[in-house]
Amino acid sequence: MIDNFKPPIKTRTTQQLLDIVGSPKKWNRDAAYLAKYELSNRNVDTSEIDKAIKLSELKEEEERLRKANKSYQITDFLLKPKSTLFELLFTWELKKDGYTLKAKQQKTFRITLISVIIFVYLIKYIQESL
């Protein structure tokens, strides 16, 4: 297999190779294969590879939990109101991206916003009718 990566897999440190082998989802399949092959050539113990894989899995789980528990804060509205409102109104894939709590807050916000808009229009309609 040809090593067309920059920098080449062979020139990377053992730790970099362990990172590649530990998280194959983030890397090209060929890169993971070449990294494993190079680790074998360097006589790296398989327990080190297993440890790298477990560490990567723990990091992925930690990231998944962090995303799931991330929520909107008052500071989001104060420091970056436009982008926060845009995300609340027009982003549809928060749950798919793993942001479970944000998706629930978004749903509540949208329902509240629609209710307020309907209420305001009803008040205007009633005032105009009188």
Side-chain angles (χ1 to χ4, degrees):
M1 184 174 295
I2 299 171
D3 186 353
N4 291 327
F5 297 97
K6 294 187 191 251
I9 298 294
K10 282 186 175 190
T11 63
R12 297 178 191 230
T13 65
T14 300
Q15 185 56 51
Q16 289 172 327
L17 296 174
L18 286 169
D19 291 342
I20 294 169
V21 171
S23 52
K25 293 176 189 173
K26 295 180 182 178
W27 288 88
N28 178 305
R29 185 177 43 147
D30 294 340
Y33 175 80
L34 288 169
K36 198 174 232 182
Y37 181 76
E38 183 60 28
L39 287 169
S40 174
N41 285 344
R42 294 181 188 183
N43 296 322
V44 174
D45 190 6
T46 56
S47 66
E48 287 293 316
I49 296 170
D50 293 340
K51 186 175 160 184
I53 292 169
K54 292 237 187 286
L55 183 61
S56 177
E57 288 171 354
L58 285 173
K59 285 180 182 178
E60 286 176 15
E61 179 63 16
E62 185 179 284
E63 177 66 14
R64 190 192 65 73
L65 287 172
R66 186 191 64 75
K67 280 183 174 182
N69 294 320
K70 185 148 177 66
S71 67
Y72 290 106
Q73 305 294 320
I74 224 42
T75 54
D76 295 333
F77 294 95
L78 295 174
L79 299 177
K80 45 186 179 173
K82 289 180 184 176
S83 62
T84 302
L85 284 173
F86 182 83
E87 184 177 287
L88 280 167
L89 294 173
F90 302 111
T91 304
W92 295 98
E93 298 189 0
L94 287 174
K95 190 171 185 177
K96 179 181 161 193
D97 292 339
Y99 293 98
T100 311
L101 185 54
K102 270 189 163 186
K104 287 179 185 176
Q105 290 175 320
Q106 182 185 50
K107 184 177 180 181
T108 303
F109 179 82
R110 285 178 177 164
I111 291 169
T112 304
L113 183 63
I114 290 169
S115 300
V116 168
I117 289 170
I118 290 171
F119 181 74
V120 167
Y121 277 107
L122 278 174
I123 296 295
K124 281 186 177 182
Y125 179 75
I126 291 171
Q127 286 177 345
E128 289 174 0
S129 297
L130 296 176

